[in-house]
Amino acid sequence: GKQVEGMKGTLDKVGSSWIGFGAAIAGIVIKARQFIAAANDAELANARLAQALRSNGQYTRANVEALGKQADALSKLSGFEDEAVTQAQAMLASYRLNTDQIQQMIPAIVDMGAALRIGPEQGAMLVGRAMEYGLGVLRRYRVSIDDATEAAYKSADQQGKLELIQRLLQNRFADAARNMGDTYPGAVNKLSVSVGNLYEAIGGLLKYALTPLINVLTSAFNWFNDLSTPVKAVAADASLVDFAVKK
């Protein structure tokens, strides 16, 4: 009798400890996953940009850093996520624009996105389509184009076309990103961007720092899961009884 009671008491303590430990770890893991997800989103956006630049013969560390600084600055100005701006940069690179041309066009695209409430990537796609199919693409978005501009566009080279598109967008949407950022919703968006950047920074550290801990915890939980079914059942029953008594 005493041995059975002693065993039950031991299992009660083990079960309670494991449930409490598991709940605490679960909470930590959920938050850590949010941090790591933010870091992963940033990493994927940067990887997409790097790949687009490579396919364009434009990949250098200096180019990536310059575009990253631009995305960060425009994000803080407008309240768009920096990943959204990075994706827009990658979209332009996929249309064979070089780094200087991308930097030239992105501010006007962010302004257009702010004014029309579309994402920067969608705005970059519209510019790319205008490069391929003509300025009529932009007319659908309330961009005024006169006959002289249309004629000049048709005879222009790539750089000339970009400059015409940039001018049209600036005439229609100039300072829209800054104006949006100065509103209350814009301020909320910029706060969200700041929090997101913090999550990215923490997530980047956790991705490397947590790997050994995750391996240890995995081994510990595997050990518990490998216990015989009767032992785990008794431990669980004892923990539930203890929880009910404490309530």
Side-chain angles (χ1 to χ4, degrees), residues 8-247:
K8 186 174 181 181
T10 299
L11 290 174
D12 182 16
K13 292 178 181 178
V14 170
S16 297
S17 297
W18 271 98
I19 287 179
F21 179 69
I25 292 300
I28 294 172
V29 168
I30 289 172
K31 201 64 181 178
R33 287 179 65 182
Q34 293 175 349
F35 293 141
I36 292 172
N40 286 342
D41 288 343
E43 185 177 356
L44 289 173
N46 290 330
R48 181 181 172 189
L49 174 61
Q51 181 57 40
L53 292 174
R54 284 191 181 95
S55 68
N56 210 8
Q58 288 287 306
Y59 179 80
T60 66
R61 176 174 293 183
N63 285 346
V64 171
E65 289 178 353
L67 292 173
K69 289 178 181 178
Q70 182 187 47
D72 183 60
L74 290 174
S75 173
K76 291 176 180 176
L77 174 73
S78 66
F80 283 123
E81 295 287 346
D82 51 351
E83 290 86 3
V85 180
T86 299
Q87 289 169 352
Q89 294 168 332
M91 178 64 67
L92 291 183
S94 73
Y95 282 102
R96 316 303 296 175
L97 273 64
N98 63 40
T99 303
D100 289 340
Q101 291 170 332
I102 293 170
Q103 289 183 296
Q104 171 189 340
M105 284 303 307
I106 283 294
I109 287 171
V110 171
D111 277 335
M112 177 172 65
L116 300 180
R117 298 187 179 183
I118 61 176
E121 186 176 12
Q122 185 178 349
M125 184 180 298
L126 292 174
V127 168
R129 291 180 63 191
M131 293 286 294
E132 290 186 341
Y133 302 113
L135 296 179
V137 173
L138 300 178
R139 281 198 177 95
R140 304 170 194 171
Y141 293 87
R142 299 175 293 176
V143 176
S144 299
I145 305 167
D146 56 33
D147 292 340
T149 301
E150 188 83 55
Y153 184 83
K154 289 179 180 178
S155 61
D157 60 11
Q158 184 191 59
Q159 181 61 33
K161 288 180 178 180
L162 282 174
E163 290 173 357
L164 284 170
I165 292 174
Q166 181 186 25
R167 189 178 70 200
L168 290 170
L169 297 184
Q170 287 176 335
N171 288 343
R172 180 67 182 84
F173 306 116
D175 294 326
R178 183 184 301 277
N179 293 337
M180 181 181 77
D182 289 340
T183 65
Y184 176 78
V188 172
N189 289 339
K190 288 193 282 189
L191 175 61
S192 177
V193 166
S194 296
V195 172
N197 289 339
L198 176 62
Y199 272 43
E200 290 171 19
I202 296 173
L205 295 174
L206 289 178
K207 286 174 65 174
Y208 299 100
L210 279 181
T211 299
L213 176 60
I214 289 172
N215 292 336
V216 170
L217 292 175
T218 299
S219 298
F221 282 116
N222 286 340
W223 170 83
F224 184 76
N225 291 332
D226 289 340
L227 292 174
S228 64
T229 301
V231 173
K232 287 192 291 188
V234 171
D237 289 343
S239 299
L240 291 174
V241 169
D242 180 66
F243 178 77
V245 170
K246 289 180 179 179
K247 286 291 183 179

